[in-house]
Every structure is written in structure tokens, then in C-alpha cells.
């Protein structure tokens, strides 16, 4: 039996699928929110998306843990704010969910390589944005969508 082709096939298939940045376990959802992932939009992005071109969807009522990591070369933060028109800024007072932002001083952000975590209840169905609160970043396009859905049973990222 020739194991080399089998091993090579397994390796190639394994590299074709990146790990999902969102996981669902019962009514708990974990989102791996990564700021500055790659060079998309000059580094002003979340999970490689910018200007609302990517969307996290979570079920209504889920307890959501956001594990936030800054992989960029400058400080970043996030605020979950109301959807609609493209956001031009964000601060903690814009957060639509209690604890729906990080760090406490969103305008300062967290340093490159740093991580932080928050937990909130997705208690209101609707369309929202993850927006960077560091001055100039939202205006530069650092925001993606968050949908809290009555119909969703598991979380997703597209």
C-alpha cells in the first residue's frame, strides 16, 4: 500500500479550508474578530473585510463571546453599532449591546499583537456593524457587518 499519495491528498485537502472565525455550541457563539488581518484596505480591516463587505451572523438570543486580536501594525478597537449608512466614527456610547465594545477606551485601541475579550447577549435582532473606534479608521472603511437573526440556528461568517 502506498501511503505517500494518501498523505499528500490529506495535507492538500486540509490546507484548502481555513478554520472558521465563528463557532456555535448550543446557545453560545464565539467570534474570533481580527483587526488588521493582511493588507486589505491598507490594514484597516476586520478578518480581511472592509467597508461592510463581510458579515458575521449570529442567532437571536445567543450569548456571544468576541475574542478580539490586533494583528495589524497600529492600534485597533471595535464597537458594535447600529447598521445603516456607512459609519464614519464610533465610541463606546454607540454600542448597541452592553459590553459590545473593546477596549474601554475605544479611541486608543489595543496595541499590535494584543488580545482582549468581551461577552454580550445578542438580544436585539437587526443589522449592525463592527466598527473600529480609533479616530479615522471607520472613515477609512474599517467596519464589517453583524446580523443578529431570528432565523439563524448557528453562527456564520461570509
Amino acid at each position: 500500500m502506498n501511503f505517500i499519495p494518501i498523505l499528500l491528498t490529506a495535507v492538500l485537502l486540509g490546507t484548502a479550508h481555513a478554520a472558521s472565525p465563528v463557532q456555535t455550541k448550543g446557545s453560545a457563539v464565539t467570534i474570533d474578530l481580527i483587526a488588521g488581518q493582511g493588507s486589505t484596505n491598507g490594514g484597516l480591516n476586520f478578518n480581511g473585510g472592509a467597508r461592510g463587505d463581510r458579515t458575521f451572523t449570529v442567532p437571536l438570543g445567543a450569548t456571544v463571546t468576541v475574542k478580539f486580536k490586533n494583528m495589524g501594525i497600529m492600534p485597533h478597537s471595535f464597537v458594535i453599532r447600529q447598521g445603516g449608512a456607512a459609519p464614519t466614527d464610533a465610541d463606546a456610547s454607540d454600542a448597541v449591546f452592553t459590553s459590545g465594545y473593546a477596549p474601554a477606551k475605544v479611541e486608543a485601541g489595543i496595541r499590535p499583537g494584543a488580545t482582549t475579550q468581551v461577552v454580550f447577549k445578542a438580544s436585539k435582532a437587526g443589522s449592525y456593524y463592527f466598527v473600529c473606534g480609533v479616530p479615522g479608521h471607520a472613515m477609512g472603511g474599517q467596519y464589517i457587518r453583524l446580523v443578529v437573526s431570528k432565523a439563524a440556528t448557528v453562527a456564520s461568517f461570509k
Side-chain angles (χ1 to χ4, degrees), residues 81-103:
R81 65 172 297 161
Q82 190 62 47
T88 57
D89 63 3
D91 62 40
S93 68
D94 294 319
V96 294
F97 300 106
T98 302
S99 301
Y101 62 92

Side-chain angles (χ1 to χ4, degrees), residues 12-85:
L12 291 174
L13 288 174
T15 59
H17 302 285
S20 175
V22 62
Q23 300 84 39
T24 306
K25 188 172 186 179
S27 63
V29 171
T30 301
I31 292 175
D32 295 322
L33 185 67
I34 303 170
Q37 184 178 23
S39 60
T40 300
N41 197 41
L44 295 179
N45 67 71
F46 290 113
N47 296 75
R51 302 188 187 283
D53 68 350
R54 305 293 307 263
T55 303
F56 282 103
T57 300
V58 300
L60 177 64
T63 299
V64 181
T65 301
V66 178
K67 294 180 177 181
F68 180 55
K69 181 173 184 172
N70 182 356
M71 290 181 61
I73 60 171
M74 61 188 100
H76 291 292
S77 65
F78 78 88
V79 177
I80 302 171
R81 65 172 297 161
Q82 190 62 47

